Amino acid sequence: MSSTAKSLFEKVWERHIVEDESADKPAVLYIDLHLVHEVTSPQAFSELDARGLKVRRPDRTFATLDHSIPTLAPDANGERPYFTPQAKIQVETLEQNTKNHGVKLFGWDSDNRGVVHVIGPDMGLTQPGFTVVCGDSHTSTHGAFGCIAFGIGTSEVGHVLATQCLTQRKPKTMRITVNGTLQKGVTGKDVALAIIQRLGFGGGTGYALEYAGSVIESLDMEGRMTVCNLSIEAGARCGMIAPDQTTVEWLRGRAYAPKGEAFEAAAADWLTLKSDEGAVFDKEITIDGSAIEPMATWGTTPDQGGAIRAGVPLPSNENDVKALKYMGLTGGDSRDVAKVDVVFIGSCTNGRLADLRAAAEVMRGRHVAEGVRMLVVPGSEKVRLEAVAEGLDKVFEEAGAEWRLPGCSMCIAMNGDFVAPGQLAVSTSNRNFEGRQGPGSRTVLASPATAAASAIAGHVADPRQYIA
Amino acid sequence: MSSNQEPINTFSSRLVVLPEANIDTDQIIPARFLTTTTKAGLGKVAFNDWRYNNDGSLKADCILNIIDPEEHRILVGGNNFGCGSSREHAPWALTDYGFKAVISTEIADIFRSNSLKNGLLPIVVPQDIHDKLTKNPQQRVTIDLEACELRFEDGTVFVFQIDAFSRQCLLEGVDAMGWILNRVSSIEAYEQRTGKAAA
């Protein structure tokens, strides 16, 4: 073991130290990319305005509309069907704040508008070795590119707007190695749910995660983003994956990525961002990826899940009992007992083109079960247009699903898209908390293929029966 | 943000015990209340779906509707308190309701960071101290931030851990934005050194 061996996290962290930490003060960490949306930014801009401050680096700050916006089309007069007048005011507040401060907004008129963690990577704003923050806990998504990326509160949004920096204590590190080869029909979402089940809901608290191993290396960028996205569901603020040739090729030609020789130089640097042989982690765990099956949650925290084939488990503690009661599920039942009312495909976890393709592959030529409402919400305007070009919208509509405009939609249920009290939803999103998808809603988390299979079957279903 | 934040030092209070594990920030303030553009008045929707029926009437059996917030400044939650969404509306709602401290066996990272910036003191305790707190919510405990002590009426003292800088900020009501603004020369030097200065 070499004393100079460094982890991926340490390498990226060290590149961003403005002032190092000591016993009595935190590090000042530089932020390369700051993503902003309408819900967690108004009070931060107000703070800047109250102090007469400017945005220090508008060139490193990008805003979009996603959380509270309607996913239904405007009416004949061009009026957007906002759920509440307050939601409209919030969007207009961001439009005004970005205008006042010279910050680029991918707004209603932009083909790049979309869920903040979909559009950042899509445009190549997210680049390996960056620090990326946003007032949203799923900022961990960008770690798929070898970034230190994490969610922050609104006070910190203000700090980054004003100074491009944050005060931070260096977290502990944990490497999660997923070995083996994935079975057919098993996706990044299933890998993530298996990891969370193993770690426990708070098992990553205080850690920066690094995902490694043959299974992680085999995932495409979309799958890696799904894995990193869900780091916070194990309590870890950030999760990262070392950039490799898959990363480099994915970024080549993206709008904000370097061009020509500059790209090649950048790519050479990106490929150095990996944990050295002998790098020391505060904790290491290993998972057999070959054993992972299509997963679905049965409880009210993301770690309460398991292989669909294994059915609903018998409760092993008080939390399980409470969760099963809330979910209306019975331990020992197979997953085809409980009828599904709603299926949601979308979100920063699984709203990308690859996710829509996976769901469409299952849906093609089939129809959603009687009584099931299915909502498909692309993660961005670009994803929507690409899906339409491939005819995926028609596949979903012919199957009886609703095809919507991009946004966070039913994942956070603050825009009017929600699951009714007592209804059971299979969702490709990230949280199955009590009431997350609407007051009294019950949520099962699963992959796009599983969500599509469940829509057809009318109950939680293993997608492998529908995949050629 | 902490510019107008009252310094915290020593206070005594009865407890509100919410024993459930994994109380996430969607429980503390549901997402549909996040369309606000200010941070004022969120106390009335703190734990909204725990406190109100669908018709808006108060749930009579919810502890948060029974106690006098003035008398109950300390929230004792189950393990992994404040997990989930990064919404700072959660500490805004809790402080507006009247809480000055949250105690649990584990507190989620982002919630802890947000709390420290809003005069809400997050304290992590071991299971035995947690049990001693939850057993008797009517007891008065004293939190002494200067000494980092949690003191019980029976004389038991627990010394809690808190980041030294965060403690100083809370004790003195330090303006975190002002502090980081004062680092501007270091920030400029960093941008120059790394080629990140604005074009």
Side-chain angles (χ1 to χ4, degrees), chain B residues 21-40:
Chain B
N22 304 317
I23 294 175
D24 59 83
T25 54
D26 274 89
Q27 308 309 316
I28 298 170
I29 178 168
R32 61 188 184 279
F33 299 111
L34 306 188
T35 51
T36 180
T37 52
T38 70
K39 34 184 154 164

Side-chain angles (χ1 to χ4, degrees), chain A residues 15 19 26 30 32 43 47 51 56-57 86 90 136-137 153-155 169 201 206 431 433-434 436, chain B residues 1 3 24 26-27 34-36 38 83-86 88 109 114 163 165 175 183 186 190-191 196 198:
Chain A
R15 287 184 177 195
E19 289 184 10
Y30 196 79
D32 293 317
Q43 299 86 349
E47 180 79 8
R51 293 170 183 251
R56 178 175 175 82
R57 294 299 296 268
Q86 187 58 39
Q90 195 172 50
D136 187 284
S137 62
T154 297
S155 294
R169 288 285 181 188
F201 187 33
R431 290 188 172 132
F433 302 160
E434 290 185 14
R436 167 75 178 189
Chain B
M1 282 145 257
S3 52
D24 59 83
D26 274 89
Q27 308 309 316
L34 306 188
T35 51
T36 180
T38 70
C83 52
S85 158
S86 60
E88 196 161 320
D109 287 335
N114 286 339
D163 170 62
F165 180 75
D175 168 15
R183 311 261 91 59
S186 297
Y190 172 88
E191 287 177 328
K196 291 179 181 176

